[in-house]
Amino acid sequence: MENTPDKPGRRRFVQGGLALGAAALIGRAQATTQVATQALPLPEYEGFDAHDLAAHIRDGRLTPLEVVDAAIARAEARSALNAVVLRHYELARESAVALGRAGRAERQARAAKAPLAGVPFALKDLNVALKGTITTNGCAFFKDAVADHDSTLVQRYQAAGLNIFAKLASPEFGQTGTTESRLWGQTHNPWNTAHSAGGSSGGSAAAVAAGILPAAHASDGGGSIRIPSSHCGVFGLKPSRGRVPAGPKALEGWMGLSVNNVITRSVRDSALLLQLTQGPEAGSRVGPPPADMMAALRQPPKGLRIALMDVNPFGMGVHADCLDAVKKAARLCTDLGHKVEVAAPQLPIQEMFAGMGVVTATGMLSSVQAREKLLGRAVREDEMEPINWRSLQLAKGYSAEQVFRARAAFDQAGRILDEFFARYDLILSPVTAAPPPLLGALSLDQPYEDFVKNAMLASPFTAMFNMSGQPAMSVPLHWNASGLPIGVQFAGPFGGEARLLALAAQLEQAAPWKHRRPPL
């Protein structure tokens, strides 16, 4: 581990990409069995959500250091899942010690501004900057890319008091619905390690499901919060476009398709973290007005009009397990007094998904070219996944007209969905068209034709809401006969996160999922 200077009298710690390569991963995996048989510190840790941990730290029942050490111990004991890929342990312990010096009165006073002071947290290893540390984007070309600034979102996490101790696995540039890469290897589903944890926020979902963290940063450009949340049996909400800042260097990801938020075990943690991080930053020109997310949890919704959309937009089938999950959710909503009826918006699906391919590949090209300029050399083919390399070459030939048409298709989808939400409060659908796939099925290192066939089952229901800009969430209400989680998706109108969170809290109370834990 190398030290990188930050401010005078202070050190920042950087975890090098190569130091956590294949050999190190294998070594840690071999040690996992021994570590897991030992008693982990703070055994009650995994029963707490972020709210609980913050309260215990604030009241002096737990110290910030013993809490972060509990998270670190679990990250190492469960390292075979390969969720944590960059370790900033010394930085986090340093922060915990500093916080621990505060007296009870000071902790109580600080809670008003930093309600999650001392709670362990981790960032997704994609397009987010923590000054003095590496973000690889899951790509060998970025394996030693040290951030020279903090992202606006990271500043807000730190202002909330979160103690960032690691970064979590992502596939290269978040370009697939699994979390596998040549750089970091495969991230395993805690419920069955032969299966994918989903992607691209699979490291975040696996870490939360495995009890390493109660909440973790995640991002979503086509389903990357909702898909891994569904596969890992945890809660994940993709906010409206512009709700959460993405700057300062780029104020939108993938022309607004990609947005940031968290994956959590409890709905209230998601609500609080969204409330603490929402709102414009300097330069922002889009986004809904801030909303009181926590107040929404105290107001159970009544008589919602819910459209049930269970037909695959691509015309392919939907697996029986996913349909069972949706039917179960529909019955539960009906029992709670909501009205559910079959209905679906008529969207220009072909134009939308063609445009998505143009925009995501062009965004990747822009990131690679910026890195090339910084390093003074071109990226090599062996520094990228084969499918992404193919997309990169195609992106070099896309025209401004194609990008313009893509945005026009997204805007048209948004208009159609706005009109649909004038008739319905929410849309209920599967998250994916198939259960969690086996590892390798969605890898970016395989023949292109095989990848496309499997990818069409991953995000036909999720990506439309990235293109339209509306919020959507995955709620863990179902497990199949094999014991794998199958989430369901609820989408709402632009700016309607409070409505979604209110329903999620109602569902969480009616059909609790906190007791469902993977057989680690």
Side-chain angles (χ1 to χ4, degrees):
M1 182 170 292
E2 64 186 73
N3 296 340
T4 299
D6 183 25
K7 296 180 180 179
R10 188 177 177 191
R11 292 183 299 169
R12 285 277 187 168
F13 296 87
V14 178
Q15 180 69 63
L18 291 179
L20 288 175
L25 289 173
I26 293 171
R28 283 200 304 276
Q30 291 172 338
T32 296
T33 302
Q34 293 179 340
V35 176
T37 60
Q38 301 172 5
L40 290 168
L42 201 61
E44 64 270 34
Y45 171 85
E46 293 172 42
F48 297 144
D49 67 1
H51 274 77
D52 294 327
L53 289 174
H56 291 322
I57 292 170
R58 183 168 60 248
D59 295 340
R61 292 189 293 271
L62 296 174
T63 69
L65 184 59
E66 64 183 331
V67 171
V68 79
D69 278 344
I72 290 170
R74 283 157 179 81
E76 292 306 302
R78 293 156 192 175
S79 61
L81 292 174
N82 198 28
V84 176
V85 293
L86 291 163
R87 288 154 168 78
H88 310 312
Y89 294 168
E90 290 88 346
L91 174 62
R93 285 181 170 130
E94 181 183 283
S95 296
V97 169
L99 179 62
R101 295 193 185 104
R104 181 183 177 88
E106 184 180 348
R107 290 195 303 270
Q108 295 284 356
R110 185 180 298 174
K113 294 184 178 179
L116 294 174
V119 174
F121 194 69
L123 304 172
K124 182 179 178 181
D125 182 31
L126 179 69
N127 293 332
V128 66
L130 174 64
K131 187 175 181 180
T133 71
I134 288 171
T135 297
T136 74
N137 300 316
C139 178
F141 191 48
F142 290 75
K143 68 179 183 294
D144 53 1
V146 179
D148 61 2
H149 69 288
D150 288 326
S151 294
T152 305
L153 181 58
V154 169
Q155 294 172 22
R156 294 186 184 184
Y157 285 144
Q158 292 173 329
L162 292 169
N163 191 3
I164 299 169
F165 81 104
K167 294 198 184 79
L168 303 167
S170 168
E172 189 176 81
F173 297 110
Q175 289 278 10
T176 182
T178 189
T179 301
E180 306 174 48
S181 68
R182 286 180 171 181
L183 180 63
W184 296 124
Q186 298 175 324
T187 297
H188 301 268
N189 191 314
W191 294 90
N192 185 325
T193 55
H195 289 259
S196 170
S200 62
S201 305
S204 302
V208 172
I212 296 170
L213 289 165
H217 166 249
S219 60
D220 190 316
S224 292
I225 287 175
R226 291 156 289 161
I227 293 169
S229 295
S230 173
H231 289 354
C232 292
V234 289
F235 179 74
L237 186 151
K238 178 200 83 70
S240 300
R241 182 177 300 161
R243 168 76 72 184
V244 177
K249 291 193 173 181
L251 300 185
E252 286 190 322
W254 287 348
M255 291 179 61
L257 297 185
S258 182
V259 294
N260 290 280
N261 196 24
V262 291
I263 290 173
T264 65
R265 283 200 298 271
S266 72
V267 174
R268 67 175 185 169
D269 279 356
S270 280
L272 179 59
L273 281 159
L274 186 56
Q275 183 156 310
L276 293 172
T277 57
Q278 67 176 328
E281 61 185 316
S284 294
R285 297 294 183 268
V286 299
D292 191 338
M293 306 298 175
M294 295 302 292
L297 306 188
R298 300 188 291 272
Q299 301 169 357
K302 298 179 180 179
L304 292 174
R305 301 163 298 167
I306 301 175
L308 173 59
M309 179 176 67
D310 59 3
V311 176
N312 191 323
F314 289 150
M316 303 170 68
V318 177
H319 194 280
D321 288 348
C322 301
L323 293 175
D324 286 345
V326 170
K327 292 173 184 176
K328 181 178 179 180
R331 288 194 300 270
L332 180 57
C333 288
T334 300
D335 291 343
L336 291 169
H338 307 303
K339 182 179 180 181
V340 182
E341 63 181 46
V342 176
Q346 299 302 306
L347 295 165
I349 292 295
Q350 296 301 323
E351 293 87 346
M352 290 167 62
F353 278 88
M356 185 176 183
V358 170
V359 168
T360 58
T362 303
M364 180 173 60
L365 174 62
S366 177
S367 296
V368 169
Q369 288 180 334
R371 181 72 175 156
E372 288 176 328
K373 183 177 180 180
L374 182 66
L375 295 181
R377 70 171 181 86
V379 63
R380 302 189 308 269
E381 185 173 356
D382 66 353
E383 292 176 303
M384 290 189 65
E385 306 277 353
I387 289 173
N388 279 345
W389 180 261
R390 177 185 184 277
S391 296
L392 192 73
Q393 307 318 307
L394 290 173
K396 294 174 182 177
Y398 292 147
S399 66
E401 181 183 3
Q402 285 176 284
V403 176
F404 186 87
R405 285 180 180 173
R407 185 53 187 260
F410 303 162
D411 291 344
Q412 179 73 355
R415 184 191 66 79
I416 292 170
L417 279 164
D418 280 351
E419 292 176 351
F420 190 81
F421 281 120
R423 303 191 301 275
Y424 294 95
D425 296 305
L426 299 173
I427 297 174
L428 165 63
S429 75
V431 176
T432 60
L438 292 170
L439 285 163
L442 289 168
S443 167
L444 294 166
D445 189 1
Q446 64 174 314
Y448 177 74
E449 294 74 17
D450 295 340
F451 171 77
V452 170
K453 180 178 63 177
N454 292 323
M456 291 180 74
L457 295 174
S459 59
F461 294 100
T462 55
M464 65 178 70
F465 299 110
N466 295 83
M467 291 180 264
S468 69
Q470 275 101 351
M473 65 182 180
S474 175
V475 185
L477 295 177
H478 184 67
W479 274 252
N480 68 10
S482 300
L484 286 169
I486 310 287
V488 294
Q489 177 175 251
F490 291 90
F494 185 74
E497 288 89 339
R499 183 183 299 171
L500 288 171
L501 287 165
L503 176 63
Q506 188 180 51
L507 294 170
E508 183 182 35
Q509 183 175 6
W513 54 79
K514 187 177 181 180
H515 66 287
R516 302 292 297 260
R517 296 297 180 89
L520 296 170

